[in-house]
Amino acid sequence: MKLNWFKREGIFFIPTSVAGWMIFACAMVYAIYVFMDIDSRSHSVSDTLMNFVFSLLIIGAVYSFVAYLTSTQVKSANNEKSK
């Protein structure tokens, strides 16, 4: 069973179904929650950003992994020419 929740556009994954949009929305809401949590415990802007960047990278990696597993495969022009 092939899940087509995302479409790959270059290095980005664009949601194409309701499930894809829900995963995207959950990732954004969680990123905002993490930012607010870190900001409430930080003493400066640099302290907030330094701690948030690592969390944002983890959220982005998990989103990209899920999107990669559930995306449609786009055929490149090089593969079609060689056949």
Side-chain angles (χ1 to χ4, degrees):
M1 180 172 102
K2 183 65 177 160
L3 304 172
N4 295 323
W5 294 351
F6 296 92
K7 177 178 67 169
R8 188 170 186 160
E9 293 287 333
I11 61 170
F12 300 107
F13 291 97
I14 310 299
T16 59
S17 70
V18 174
W21 281 106
M22 290 298 295
I23 291 171
F24 178 75
C26 288
M28 291 295 105
V29 168
Y30 185 66
I32 292 168
Y33 170 76
V34 167
F35 179 81
M36 292 172 60
D37 182 48
I38 291 171
D39 190 42
S40 69
R41 294 182 278 120
S42 299
H43 300 289
S44 66
V45 173
S46 63
D47 192 25
T48 300
L49 293 177
M50 285 174 26
N51 289 316
F52 178 64
V53 166
F54 179 72
S55 297
L56 191 61
L57 287 173
I58 297 297
I59 294 167
V62 170
Y63 174 80
S64 296
F65 180 69
V66 170
Y68 177 76
L69 293 178
T70 60
S71 66
T72 58
Q73 297 295 328
V74 178
K75 293 185 179 186
S76 66
N78 292 336
N79 288 342
E80 292 177 3
K81 288 180 182 177
S82 63
K83 290 183 178 181

